[in-house]
Amino acid sequence: MKIFVLTGAGISAESGISTFRDAGGLWEGHAIEEVATPEGFEANPGLVYQFYNLRRDQLFEVEPNAAHRALVELEKREGVELTLVTQNVDDLHERAGNREVIHMHGELRQAKCLVCGKSYRWSADLGAGDRCENCGGRMRPDIVWFGEMPYEMDLIESRLGEADLFIAVGTSGQVYPAAGYADMARRRGIPTIEFNLEPTDQSGRFSESICGKAGDTLPEWVREFEG
Ligand code: BV8
Ligand code: ZN
């Protein structure tokens, strides 16, 4: 059975990483859309470097939670082929043990060159003084900002086209193209289940909403899952 899972900030909430909605879409008084954009970076690179440095530092203080671990358990189930796509830029799915994690919005632990685009594993702070080993260009967080093309869209859409079941965990479904994946699954006629504190459904995109904290609801669902 091919299962397509899309996760958002809510799956990392119980690990202590605040979601975008909790922050009221603000960070240090700046709208996320202002900070997480190429224009915001050009206008105030120091602010944007700091925004991501603080979030990268937090990765050393948090652990995967029961919801992350439930997705590892699901991946191991006999007969399950799991595609895990995350909007999150943290590394908690990898640290929980999922084999393949598709980071459609990039990763805090990566940085890329503004000139040649080469991406590097990056766990330290990133700043204006850092240079690409390949071409000497300035570096930016390897994060997909608003207005930029998400990563792996072709792979994501081909996996979505083969899925027998679509699951969304901890996402408010407001950011596209990710938010459109549930609609695409629904149009294909496969079951679509969301795990969230509250139903986010605006347009009948989910056949089932399982409400509660993902750290409680997802492990229970996986335990009862019979494939
Ligand atoms: C694109 C990286 C073109 C950054 C992110 C005007 C100009 C330009 C673009 C647009 C525009 N208008 C619209 C757009 C499109 C735009 C968009 O959708 N904007 C929205 C605001 C309307 N999208 C883009 O720009 C995308 N690119 O369109 O390029 C294109 C497209 C296709 C093909 C060719 C070209 C790029 C979007 C990516 C932006 N980068 N992240 C960073 O992280 O700093 S998005 C960022 O916000 C996150 O990655 C995440 O994806 C999103 C927040 O969403 P969620 O993960 O859902 O988090 P949220 O806090 O919202 O919700 C948490 C949920 O969890 C809640 O529902 C809550 O109830 C629940 N929850 C909380 N606790 C728990 C829980 N659930 C269960 N258990 C719990 N314990
Ligand atoms: Zn370079």
Side-chain angles (χ1 to χ4, degrees):
M1 180 182 210
K2 294 186 164 76
I3 304 179
F4 184 105
V5 179
L6 173 69
T7 62
I11 198 170
S12 296
E14 291 160 78
S15 296
I17 296 183
S18 65
T19 68
F20 291 83
R21 284 159 54 96
D22 295 346
L26 289 176
W27 182 77
E28 302 274 299
H30 298 272
I32 299 271
E33 285 76 14
E34 176 203 335
V35 174
T37 60
E39 298 75 20
F41 179 67
E42 281 315 308
N44 192 340
L47 177 76
V48 177
Y49 280 128
Q50 185 197 13
F51 177 52
Y52 289 99
N53 287 341
L54 290 173
R55 289 168 67 192
R56 191 180 304 106
D57 290 348
Q58 191 184 24
L59 295 183
F60 296 101
E61 295 149 26
V62 297
E63 297 291 329
N65 64 58
H68 295 105
R69 290 193 293 275
L71 292 181
V72 179
E73 168 59 31
L74 183 61
E75 184 178 64
K76 288 178 177 152
R77 280 295 172 78
E78 183 68 31
V80 169
E81 291 176 50
L82 185 74
T83 291
L84 176 53
V85 177
T86 187
Q87 301 172 86
N88 301 336
V89 293
D90 63 51
D91 60 349
L92 294 178
H93 284 306
E94 289 86 349
R95 288 170 55 196
N98 275 101
R99 279 199 313 274
E100 179 197 46
V101 183
I102 300 173
H103 281 276
M104 64 180 292
H105 291 162
E107 298 176 67
L108 282 171
R109 286 194 185 283
Q110 294 286 124
K112 76 175 176 185
C113 175
L114 282 159
V115 176
C116 71
K118 190 168 172 0
S119 182
Y120 300 86
R121 194 118 190 82
W122 205 283
S123 290
D125 278 359
L126 184 68
D130 290 301
R131 290 288 176 274
C132 170
E133 285 167 14
N134 183 42
C135 78
R138 274 178 58 210
M139 302 293 287
R140 59 167 275 183
D142 191 359
I143 298 277
V144 176
W145 285 329
F146 288 94
E148 295 186 320
M149 173 87 105
Y151 288 141
E152 306 280 11
M153 299 250 301
D154 294 341
L155 172 64
I156 291 169
E157 288 175 16
S158 76
R159 295 286 184 87
L160 192 54
E162 301 162 350
D164 305 303
L165 169 62
F166 177 94
I167 294 175
V169 186
T171 179
S172 61
Q174 288 167 10
V175 174
Y176 288 83
Y181 294 152
D183 299 315
M184 288 163 73
R186 196 90 175 105
R187 278 197 296 278
R188 287 196 50 241
I190 62 171
T192 54
I193 306 175
E194 77 162 333
F195 290 81
N196 201 306
L197 295 176
E198 78 244 346
T200 66
D201 211 344
Q202 297 99 353
S203 57
R205 57 175 47 152
F206 292 107
S207 42
E208 189 181 356
S209 285
I210 298 177
C211 293
K213 294 167 83 171
D216 301 329
T217 56
L218 195 53
E220 184 190 346
W221 184 87
V222 170
R223 270 194 297 278
E224 288 162 16
F225 176 74
E226 290 305 325

